[in-house]
Amino acid sequence: MILPIYLYGQPVLRRVADTVTPEYEGLGELIENMKATMYASEGIGIAAPQVGVSAKIVYIDASALKDTFPELAESEYVLINPEITVLDDGKRLSRDEGCLSLPGIYEGVTRTEKIRIKWQDENFVEHDEVIEGYLARVMQHECDHLDGKVFIDHLSPIRKQLIKSKLNNIVRGKVHCDYRTRGAEAKGKR
Ligand code: NI
């Protein structure tokens, strides 16, 4: 089932998400719904808070970018309870990022594209890998969502000031999207 994407301004995006246990009810269905929602909105990653669920779950499939980044051809991951350590010996660079919860906003974000990430998969098998390149960026972006952060939090105060009116429009629900969203207009209906 395709779920609405929660837009910037919705409190669920600012919460630290809850740890997921094997007893979590409906986990398989939630992951399937996150996948369907991500593909329908042409994203390359999605975090559970973006569909209104405060749980440490991320789904990534960045294979759509394989022409630019060949290493992304096999980049499908279900990350449960991920923990990232940014490794200092990686390259630190700025690249444009976007987010399904912030339609129309694309800004350069400086990150180190080398991480160590520990997570559990959908069967709660533990994984521990070092990831480099663009995928490390996607993982950091998605895992930020589980800490109640969004990519614009990484921008300079000046950059943030320059996009302020766009952000306010998203908060007010004044935004056009090709996918279903949940924003201020839905909150106003009682
Ligand atoms: Ni995002």
Side-chain angles (χ1 to χ4, degrees):
M1 187 172 58
I2 295 168
L3 306 170
I5 297 279
Y6 281 60
L7 294 180
Y8 179 75
Q10 295 297 294
V12 68
L13 294 176
R14 287 309 194 184
R15 244 176 255 152
V16 175
D18 295 331
T19 299
V20 175
T21 64
E23 291 76 41
Y24 191 95
E25 222 169 286
L27 180 62
E29 193 187 352
L30 174 58
I31 293 168
E32 286 311 309
N33 290 345
M34 286 171 62
K35 285 187 194 184
T37 304
M38 191 196 83
Y39 290 122
S41 48
E42 297 182 350
I44 55 169
I46 191 167
Q50 294 184 278
V51 294
V53 179
S54 191
K56 290 195 167 146
I57 308 166
V58 161
Y59 177 70
I60 291 171
D61 177 4
S63 59
L65 300 179
K66 65 176 186 293
D67 290 346
T68 318
F69 304 101
E71 74 272 18
L72 296 178
E74 304 284 330
S75 59
E76 194 187 1
Y77 288 84
V78 175
L79 307 175
I80 312 267
N81 304 320
E83 278 175 42
I84 284 180
T85 313
V86 176
L87 301 175
D88 292 334
D89 58 331
K91 239 196 267 168
R92 193 171 156 80
L93 66 163
S94 173
R95 279 205 243 250
D96 274 4
E97 294 188 17
C99 180
L100 295 175
S101 296
L102 289 137
I105 295 188
Y106 300 91
E107 291 287 330
V109 177
T110 302
R111 298 188 195 264
T112 300
E113 292 188 345
K114 186 175 181 184
I115 59 168
R116 180 178 179 185
I117 179 165
K118 297 181 186 186
W119 76 95
Q120 289 141 14
D121 60 27
E122 61 269 57
N123 301 311
F124 288 87
V125 176
E126 304 270 355
H127 297 262
D128 184 346
E129 282 184 27
V130 171
I131 305 275
E132 284 185 75
Y134 196 82
L135 182 58
R137 173 177 297 270
V138 176
M139 286 178 166
Q140 289 176 77
H141 175 118
E142 297 310 329
C143 292
D144 272 357
H145 280 299
L146 306 181
D147 289 330
K149 291 187 209 144
V150 289
F151 79 93
I152 57 157
D153 298 345
H154 295 282
L155 302 183
S156 68
I158 293 169
R159 229 20 255 171
K160 247 183 142 173
Q161 190 61 35
L162 288 169
I163 59 168
K164 204 176 175 185
S165 64
K166 276 194 200 170
L167 290 176
N168 284 341
N169 283 341
I170 297 174
V171 171
R172 293 195 196 108
K174 281 197 237 160
V175 67
H176 290 284
C177 257
D178 293 337
Y179 44 88
R180 282 176 68 207
T181 57
R182 174 85 29 105
E185 72 277 71
K187 212 168 73 183
K189 267 184 224 154
R190 282 171 183 260

